[in-house]
Amino acid sequence: MNYAAIRLVTIGRHTSQPGWKLGPQRHDQHEIIVIVSGRQSAEIEGVTHNVGVGDVLWFPQNVPHAEQADPADPVRSLFLGVAWPELPRPPALRVTDSDGRIGQLAQWLYAERERDPAPDRPIATALTQAIVAEYVRLATQPADPLVGQLRKFMRQHYRRPIALDELARTSGLSKFHFLRRYRRLTGRTPMEDLRLIRLEAARDLLLTTNLPLKEIAPRCGLGDEFHLSRLFRRQLRTTPGQLRHRTPPPHPG
């Protein structure tokens, strides 16, 4: 595939209200929807896709689609308008971003848009191409189902306490076999992955809201702001304050 032909048309952020819905519409470019939190349904060509955090949707160009937020858990998402004349349809309309790569790239791309809205900047083009390439990889070379299932579960429940026993039960394996298989497939323990997912959620809130650390930490299952700061220094080699000050302030609301 010729990824060099891909270019970004637009990128934005959407926060829905309870009961939000969007009737059938179509676009003259592809649209990629990255679910950051909450849940929604999307109808494409008569098929309904129910998606949540960790899922990514692709609405093909000129194909009608409709969207509706979950009334109990409204969705927050990033959306990309992408021009790729050589690809009329993606290899799949939905993928699960188990490793969070698309989510991280999309957040980075959105932060770059805040600095300079021009969509044809080299860094915006490179990030867009990387997002599309990762989407295609996930659609054509899906990850091990165990890892995808567990990471999706973690992303949906990271706000509350989760024990290894619960993850093992979710996988349908004994704790010993679950731990050994997960580590063999990913190179990390399940609890290490859970910690990284919580850290990713905290980083997202840090970059997209004005919430103080003392509120962000418990929202992400990380206890308190001191624990959160230690994790930032250990995993990201920076502090929450340094990361926030390097990026533009988020839009209000």
Side-chain angles (χ1 to χ4, degrees):
M1 291 187 177
N2 181 20
Y3 294 112
I6 297 168
R7 65 179 180 86
L8 178 67
V9 177
T10 185
I11 180 169
R13 186 173 62 197
H14 170 69
T15 301
S16 71
Q17 300 297 320
W20 172 84
K21 64 171 58 178
L22 192 63
Q25 59 175 324
R26 67 179 73 200
H27 307 286
D28 57 6
Q29 73 268 344
H30 298 286
E31 189 172 55
I32 298 174
I33 309 294
V34 182
I35 308 298
V36 176
S37 65
R39 299 192 61 80
Q40 77 166 57
S41 63
E43 183 177 333
I44 313 171
E45 298 178 324
V47 177
T48 299
H49 300 264
N50 295 304
V51 296
V53 59
D55 289 321
V56 184
L57 288 165
W58 185 313
F59 300 143
Q61 61 186 23
N62 298 318
V63 173
H65 58 273
E67 302 174 72
Q68 182 170 350
D70 187 315
D73 193 9
V75 74
R76 188 159 58 94
S77 61
L78 292 167
F79 59 89
L80 287 73
V82 176
W84 194 5
E86 298 182 10
L87 184 76
R89 291 184 62 86
L93 299 178
R94 167 189 177 181
V95 299
T96 298
D97 182 29
S98 300
D99 292 322
R101 292 173 180 168
I102 293 177
Q104 291 174 8
L105 289 166
Q107 292 286 358
W108 186 2
L109 181 58
Y110 185 80
E112 287 298 323
R113 175 256 197 186
E114 293 288 272
R115 293 188 181 92
D116 185 341
D120 57 350
R121 296 170 62 217
I123 189 170
T125 300
L127 289 170
T128 304
Q129 291 170 354
I131 289 169
V132 172
E134 177 64 7
Y135 188 104
V136 172
R137 186 189 72 82
L138 291 173
T140 56
Q141 304 171 26
D144 185 279
L146 174 73
V147 176
Q149 172 192 356
L150 265 295
R151 284 180 175 162
K152 185 171 183 178
F153 178 86
M154 292 177 192
R155 291 182 190 280
Q156 291 173 339
H157 300 281
Y158 66 84
R159 298 175 184 83
R160 64 171 178 82
I162 300 176
L164 182 62
D165 287 342
E166 182 180 2
L167 294 177
R169 287 196 301 272
T170 301
S171 73
L173 300 173
S174 70
K175 184 163 69 173
F176 172 75
H177 286 96
F178 166 63
L179 184 59
R180 184 173 63 177
R181 183 176 172 189
Y182 198 96
R183 182 180 288 165
R184 176 173 57 82
L185 290 170
T186 67
R188 294 189 292 270
T189 69
M191 303 313 287
E192 287 171 339
D193 252 4
L194 177 60
R195 187 161 55 245
L196 290 174
I197 285 170
R198 285 170 167 160
L199 188 62
E200 174 190 291
R203 179 174 56 185
D204 175 35
L205 288 176
L206 194 72
L207 294 176
T208 61
T209 75
N210 290 311
L211 291 172
L213 292 186
K214 64 181 180 181
E215 291 187 35
I216 289 177
R219 285 192 184 202
C220 299
L222 290 173
D224 56 37
E225 59 188 295
F226 304 106
H227 183 206
L228 174 60
S229 294
R230 284 197 301 271
L231 278 178
F232 262 78
R233 287 192 294 269
R234 186 187 313 155
Q235 299 290 343
L236 304 179
R237 302 293 189 267
T238 188
T239 68
Q242 288 170 339
L243 181 65
R244 177 170 268 173
H245 292 151
R246 284 203 302 264
T247 61
H251 288 311

